[in-house]
Amino acid sequence: MKGIKTAATPEMTHGSAVHEQLETIFKQDATPASFEQAVEESKKTASMSREVFVIAPEYGIRGYIDEIRMKPEEIVIIDDKPGRTPYPSSMNQVRAYALAYKSMTNEDRIIKSALRERGTDNLFWIEQFTPEVEKEIEFTINRMQGLIDGSRPFIPTKNPNKCRSCRYSRYCEHYKKD
Ligand code: SF4
């Protein structure tokens, strides 16, 4: 928002390297297909797609989904995370992907959002994308859009642990040293 650039953290660099490794392994057996083809085919035969680009301009969402497991009866949208803690920001990220996916496909299958421990098959958090969840994430996204366009104020965290590891602390007027 303020155009401040900071260096990537070691966790980010490691995460990108793991992503690339998984991508290379996946491509060895993968069949190229368009997004629409993959969605349509999966209504008959289960499949998996990685690094799926989704965009929903009406919500201001744009991103790459780490993996989508498409089965005839359900869609599971997965984001890889270091560790096994389902932070609200991680849950909301993958909920926003589910919202974008739904808006692009008019999907009538069950959609689930999930977080997976990076480098494993451990889905440590999974949730069905119900109408209630959809409403909540729409509300959250609207609030974020309000922050971006300046119509709502930012509220700094009260958690000093977050500030301690924040990459923007030296630019932040709310940062207090212990
Ligand atoms: S230092 Fe500022 S930007 Fe970073 S977490 Fe704390 S309040 Fe938020």
Side-chain angles (χ1 to χ4, degrees):
M1 299 250 335
K2 292 191 176 179
I4 298 167
K5 292 188 178 151
T6 66
T9 62
E11 290 81 6
M12 288 163 76
T13 310
H14 176 67
S16 302
V18 175
H19 255 99
E20 257 175 55
Q21 263 177 1
L22 289 171
E23 185 74 355
T24 309
I25 295 167
F26 174 75
K27 280 182 178 163
Q28 287 166 1
D29 293 325
T31 313
S34 70
F35 178 76
E36 291 76 15
Q37 280 171 332
V39 171
E40 215 36 54
E41 282 295 311
S42 70
K43 291 178 182 168
K44 291 174 262 156
T45 314
S47 66
M48 181 179 102
S49 297
R50 280 192 58 81
E51 297 296 324
V52 181
F53 179 68
V54 282
I55 184 161
E58 69 276 32
Y59 297 111
I61 304 170
R62 184 181 187 279
Y64 286 88
I65 299 176
D66 284 339
E67 187 174 308
I68 308 184
R69 291 182 186 168
M70 298 172 168
K71 302 180 194 171
E73 69 284 4
E74 69 175 19
I75 299 293
V76 186
I77 292 176
I78 300 170
D79 199 67
D80 287 319
K81 293 293 173 204
R84 298 179 205 165
T85 309
Y87 293 109
S89 55
S90 306
M91 295 189 280
N92 283 337
Q93 179 191 354
V94 75
R95 284 171 182 146
Y97 287 156
L99 184 64
Y101 175 89
K102 192 174 171 192
S103 132
M104 287 171 75
T105 57
N106 287 321
E107 186 62 72
D108 54 10
R109 285 173 278 184
I110 290 170
I111 302 176
K112 291 179 180 168
S113 312
L115 297 172
R116 179 171 59 191
E117 186 181 358
R118 182 176 290 149
T120 76
D121 209 23
N122 175 24
L123 298 183
F124 62 86
W125 177 83
I126 185 159
E127 171 191 78
Q128 190 165 329
F129 192 64
T130 60
E132 292 74 31
V133 174
E134 187 171 344
K135 257 191 218 148
E136 272 176 43
I137 193 62
E138 278 181 5
F139 176 84
T140 303
I141 289 168
N142 278 339
R143 178 154 167 42
M144 288 173 72
Q145 298 296 359
L147 295 172
I148 293 165
D149 68 22
S151 59
R152 284 167 193 252
F154 278 94
I155 301 169
T157 180
K158 292 189 177 74
N159 180 351
N161 290 332
K162 282 196 172 174
C163 293
R164 241 172 257 129
S165 57
C166 175
R167 292 189 297 145
Y168 299 97
S169 58
R170 67 192 169 113
Y171 308 101
C172 177
E173 64 271 33
H174 303 288
Y175 177 60
K176 290 185 197 79
K177 278 193 179 162
D178 299 328

